[in-house]
Amino acid sequence: KGIDIGIDAYYKLYWHPYFQVMTVCDTYQKCGYKSNTPWFDLNNNPSTTIFTHRSYRIPFITSDGILYSMSISSGDGTSSFQTIFVDINAANGPNQYGIDVFMFIPTENNVIMPHCYNSLESTIDESCNINGTGYCCAKKLMEYGWEMRADYPWR
């Protein structure tokens, strides 16, 4: 797991070889973001997710303009909790979960799945609506065949 080998080794071993990395975001400014907490929940509340943290998170932008940010631990850096944040248009707005920012997690079998992939439908619906956080919206999109249909909750 990433926390066992450190973020640099984790990135170099599991991510860098498989992507056309254009920019590694040592700072939020390097990749065009305005703060180290640049994202908003779907309900427009500022998210407390830290963009980059030298000890447990490395974001990078690929040649297609997508930002990926993988985290190897909990926010305080004390326990393993792997999360992958994907901002499909990098620093361009609106930078909101469920609209252009999505969360994924690796399973125990090393399969990347949407955050909330094993949650109850009611939990997913509560998160992925205009009054929710948007954290579970990748799961909703997976249910929709990765298409933002007319009945996608935030439309």
Side-chain angles (χ1 to χ4, degrees), residues 42-85:
L42 195 52
N43 58 19
N44 287 318
N45 288 330
S47 172
T48 59
T49 303
I50 296 171
F51 180 77
T52 185
H53 188 286
R54 187 70 198 116
S55 298
Y56 63 86
R57 179 168 298 141
I58 293 180
F60 58 91
I61 297 177
T62 55
S63 60
D64 56 3
I66 297 173
L67 175 115
Y68 297 87
S69 179
M70 82 290 290
S71 180
I72 60 168
S73 78
S74 59
D76 61 7
T78 60
S79 62
S80 179
F81 182 75
Q82 297 181 47
T83 306
I84 301 142
F85 300 89

Side-chain angles (χ1 to χ4, degrees), residues 18-121:
Y18 305 101
F19 290 86
Q20 290 183 330
V21 177
M22 300 303 293
T23 306
V24 174
C25 308
D26 303 300
T27 66
Y28 63 87
Q29 299 100 325
K30 186 172 182 179
C31 287
Y33 288 87
K34 295 179 181 163
S35 80
N36 203 32
T37 53
W39 297 313
F40 292 85
D41 293 346
L42 195 52
N43 58 19
N44 287 318
N45 288 330
S47 172
T48 59
T49 303
I50 296 171
F51 180 77
T52 185
H53 188 286
R54 187 70 198 116
S55 298
Y56 63 86
R57 179 168 298 141
I58 293 180
F60 58 91
I61 297 177
T62 55
S63 60
D64 56 3
I66 297 173
L67 175 115
Y68 297 87
S69 179
M70 82 290 290
S71 180
I72 60 168
S73 78
S74 59
D76 61 7
T78 60
S79 62
S80 179
F81 182 75
Q82 297 181 47
T83 306
I84 301 142
F85 300 89
V86 178
D87 189 336
I88 61 173
N89 61 353
N92 296 316
N95 290 323
Q96 278 185 283
Y97 289 100
I99 298 176
D100 63 338
V101 180
F102 300 93
M103 294 172 62
F104 297 85
I105 58 172
T107 68
E108 289 186 20
N109 298 323
N110 293 320
V111 174
I112 305 295
M113 294 295 290
H115 183 69
C116 302
Y117 77 95
N118 57 356
S119 297
L120 296 172
E121 193 67 30

